[in-house]
Amino acid sequence: MVSEDRPADTLASVFRFATELVAWMATPWALSSYSPPLAVLAAVVLIALPTIFATPGDKRKVIVAVPGYVTILLVVLHVVAAVAAAWAAWHAVVAAVVSVLAVVTVVLELPRWRWLVKR
């Protein structure tokens, strides 16, 4: 069950998910020319980590409970992966849009991160 004292973050959730999707697409794309198995592994890791590890009260279903800072680190991992892979794999205009998406995501995530730090 999601904690009631958790900040409402519908808009932040949309941007966070969009950033995750970009990371899931761009990272394997950027790595595929170097190593297709590494590209697949990167996609699996980026998708599996936040699915398996969660902070109690942040998600309804928690498989492996972790402190809030771990959840924050997982979001940061996705943001960094999205931006770095977009710049490595895609046209500069698209990468710039991804960078703006990442900045907006981080700004919108700050209230949730403040809440997660206390967990």
Side-chain angles (χ1 to χ4, degrees), residues 24 26-46:
W24 298 344
T27 303
W29 193 320
L31 294 172
S32 64
S33 62
Y34 300 104
S35 171
L38 183 59
V40 171
L41 178 64
V44 169
V45 166
L46 286 171

Side-chain angles (χ1 to χ4, degrees), residues 8-9 33 37 50 54-55 58 62 68 74 76 90 99 110 112 114 118:
D9 68 344
S33 62
T55 302
D58 189 45
V62 175
L74 291 173
V76 170
W90 296 339
S99 298
L110 290 176
R112 177 174 171 248
R114 281 188 212 100
K118 299 174 188 173

